[in-house]
Amino acid sequence: MAARLIDGRAAAQEVRARVAQEVERFRAATGRAPGLATVLVGEDPASAVYVRSKGKATREAGMESVSHNLSADIGEAELLALVDQLNRDPAIDGILVQLPLPGHIDSAKVIAAIDPAKDVDGFHPINAGKLAIGAADALVPCTPFGCLYLLKQELGSLSGLDAVVIGRSNIVGKPMAMLLLGESCTVTIAHSRTKDLPAVVRRADIVVAAVGRPEMVKGDWLKSSATVIDVGINRVDAGEGKTRLVGDVAFDDAQKVAGAITPVPGGVGPMTIAMLLRNTLVAAHRREGLAEPAGL
Ligand SMILES: Nc1nc(=O)c2c([nH]1)NC[C@@H]1CN(c3ccc(C(=O)N[C@@H](CCC(=O)O)C(=O)O)cc3)C=[N+]21
């Protein structure tokens, strides 16, 4: 039987509509809108597209969006000075510095300079630590948070399920594993050096693929009825000078085996942006000492 398609666009639309409602309540209570600042260094076209779509989504939710586009050869000190200025700006509740940064800039240093209360990416060591210890006020990285939203929508309780996360990055794999552990899954973090990866993946009720290798996870790696979340966004050659987007999962084959699966595009990507808006809304409430919007 063909897998159910998990519609990330529809779920993201739901989250964004709820965020927009709460933005109105926030505005009524404080006389201002939540504000998100995005910082883009250099002119990588893909990064520029993401930053633009984040700005558009922010405004559609009724929030303020401020974007800073800096030249690729800006010095680290100048970038740190901008972060400091945004940290102090009372109208800014969320700061997103688009990654990757050019090689001459130390991204860890830049991330550590962001006020943890405004770190809507959830990349600051304080937020990573809070997530690891299960603190309620962690700001959680948007992509894994979006994946968790889709999983809970699909499966309800995740308690006791076997989850395999493929990929160990600080921005997806590790926080994803922490979130799944928080839901009482039995979590395995696999990666490029994992021995017999297909056998490891075959045990999983939940597979989260976040390796950045086009169509690496094959259909016959999956347990029948597994729920598959594909975080990969890989642009590959489609012939005739065209390209297309594929995930880290070989979708056509996987779909024949899985119970449910996210498509690429239209799966995790839209949820990432929805969760960025959610984090900005929550950060704004905390900064104003307001009760956090329920159920978001
Ligand atoms: N500090 C930081 N935070 C990020 O959250 C961050 C980042 N840096 N650097 C780049 C990645 C990438 N990213 C995406 C967000 C949305 C889609 C998205 O909405 N994708 C759509 C459309 C894809 C397309 O057509 O290109 C989809 O999957 O359906 C994709 C990718 C956020 N990132």
Side-chain angles (χ1 to χ4, degrees):
M1 218 172 64
R4 271 185 308 280
L5 262 197
I6 300 175
D7 187 344
R9 282 196 189 110
Q13 211 35 60
E14 260 172 47
V15 171
R16 288 167 60 170
R18 276 156 65 201
V19 168
Q21 279 177 359
E22 294 294 337
V23 165
E24 281 321 303
R25 294 164 52 98
F26 180 89
R27 197 194 286 276
T30 65
R32 72 178 186 92
L36 173 67
T38 57
V39 179
L40 174 63
V41 181
E43 270 142 40
D44 175 55
S47 284
V49 170
Y50 293 140
V51 167
R52 247 181 280 125
S53 59
K54 284 166 190 163
K56 182 164 169 280
T58 308
R59 284 186 294 276
E60 279 172 13
M63 303 199 259
E64 289 297 325
S65 165
V66 186
S67 58
H68 294 266
N69 296 330
L70 308 176
S71 132
D73 57 16
I74 189 177
E76 187 180 271
E78 281 171 274
L79 179 56
L80 290 169
L82 173 60
V83 168
D84 186 53
Q85 179 200 316
L86 295 170
N87 282 342
R88 294 163 193 269
D89 187 337
I92 296 298
D93 300 290
I95 302 171
L96 180 147
V97 178
Q98 181 79 6
L99 301 178
L101 289 167
H104 67 280
I105 295 176
D106 180 350
S107 355
K109 201 164 164 187
V110 174
I111 290 166
I114 296 171
D115 178 349
K118 296 189 176 188
D119 169 37
V120 287
D121 264 328
F123 295 165
H124 191 287
I126 289 276
N127 283 313
K130 283 182 172 176
L131 175 60
I133 64 172
D137 66 339
L139 283 167
V140 176
C142 304
T143 297
F145 206 6
C147 295
L148 185 69
Y149 185 99
L150 295 176
L151 283 167
K152 285 170 131 178
Q153 176 183 270
E154 182 61 30
L155 297 168
S157 168
L158 310 183
S159 181
L161 297 179
D162 282 315
V164 173
V165 178
I166 315 173
R168 52 176 153 176
S169 71
N170 291 331
I171 61 179
V172 183
K174 283 184 207 167
M176 185 78 247
M178 290 300 150
L179 287 171
L180 291 166
L181 202 51
E183 298 296 324
S184 303
C185 291
T186 304
V187 182
T188 303
I189 306 176
H191 46 77
S192 57
R193 304 212 190 155
T194 296
K195 264 189 292 170
D196 200 357
L197 183 57
V200 171
V201 173
R202 244 173 241 129
R203 294 203 301 258
D205 304 303
I206 293 170
V207 179
V208 180
V211 264
R213 295 202 191 171
E215 303 182 308
M216 186 183 86
V217 177
K218 309 300 181 199
D220 67 0
W221 294 19
L222 300 171
K223 165 157 120 183
S224 156
S225 297
T227 301
V228 180
I229 304 292
D230 191 350
V231 180
I233 299 186
N234 309 290
R235 199 163 278 288
V236 297
D237 187 15
E240 298 173 356
K242 295 196 171 142
T243 64
R244 67 191 175 100
L245 283 188
V246 300
D248 292 347
V249 178
F251 183 85
D252 292 344
D253 286 342
Q255 200 219 20
K256 294 174 188 149
V257 184
I261 187 169
T262 59
V264 177
V268 172
M271 286 307 291
T272 298
I273 295 182
M275 291 315 197
L276 173 66
L277 304 184
R278 180 266 177 208
N279 279 352
T280 305
L281 176 76
V282 166
H285 279 74
R286 289 181 188 155
R287 290 189 62 248
E288 294 286 352
L290 295 172
E292 284 174 35
L296 256 171

